[in-house]
């Protein structure tokens, strides 16, 4: 029986994995934002990708990050303030997620500015 070819990882899933790995190492919000900028740059610089596809990936990445911010905000609000270490850790994670979401939003704006015909594509 022939071995199955591994399914190619979707770019957005690969990006989220990269970001989760960084977050797991306790990366600062600025570092997380730079990673989003790097990912967006890699996508837009690769000629093999269709611009509409890149725009969809950027939109999906921002959407996923926005959902993560919402979940993190809920978790922070549910924390017991008598556990300062947990509050601090959750606050740091929330700040990192906000930074990534904001970086994704800036990446979409930059992408749109580089090709105005894609502004209304989403």
């Amino acid at each position: 029986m022939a071995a199955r070819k591994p399914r190619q990882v979707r770019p957005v899933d690969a990006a989220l994995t990269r970001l989760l790995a960084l977050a797991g190492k306790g990366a600062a919000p600025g570092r997380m934002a730079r990673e989003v900028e790097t990912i967006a740059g890699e996508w837009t610089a690769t000629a093999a990708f269709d611009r509409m596809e890149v725009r969809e990936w950027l939109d999906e990445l921002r959407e996923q990050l926005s959902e993560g911010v919402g979940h993190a905000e809920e978790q922070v609000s549910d924390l017991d303030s008598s556990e300062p270490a947990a509050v601090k850790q959750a606050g740091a994670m929330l700040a990192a997620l906000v930074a990534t979401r904001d970086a994704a939003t800036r990446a979409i704006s930059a992408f749109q500015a580089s090709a105005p015909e894609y502004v209304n594509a989403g």
Side-chain angles (χ1 to χ4, degrees):
M1 183 185 222
R4 254 193 240 183
K5 271 178 108 175
R7 204 167 50 118
Q8 188 171 353
V9 177
R10 292 178 342 110
V12 173
D13 294 338
L16 290 170
T17 299
R18 281 170 65 175
L19 293 169
L20 284 172
L22 268 180
K25 294 176 183 175
R31 174 65 184 98
M32 297 290 294
R34 285 191 303 278
E35 188 67 16
V36 170
E37 292 163 1
T38 299
I39 291 165
E42 290 169 357
W43 290 348
T44 57
T46 304
F49 299 140
D50 175 88
R51 287 192 63 84
M52 289 297 293
E53 194 172 39
V54 171
R55 172 57 198 260
E56 289 172 10
W57 295 340
L58 289 169
D59 285 338
E60 184 179 350
L61 181 62
R62 179 180 57 183
E63 182 179 311
Q64 293 283 337
L65 293 170
S66 292
E67 287 177 17
V69 167
H71 292 301
E73 287 172 338
E74 286 177 25
Q75 289 178 339
V76 168
S77 69
D78 290 344
L79 283 175
D80 183 356
S81 61
S82 67
E83 297 182 39
V87 172
K88 182 178 179 179
Q89 182 178 8
M93 180 60 79
L94 176 58
L97 286 169
V98 168
T100 58
R101 180 203 57 203
D102 294 349
T105 300
R106 288 189 304 273
I108 290 170
S109 295
F111 182 78
Q112 290 172 337
S114 71
E117 67 272 20
Y118 294 98
V119 170
N120 296 319

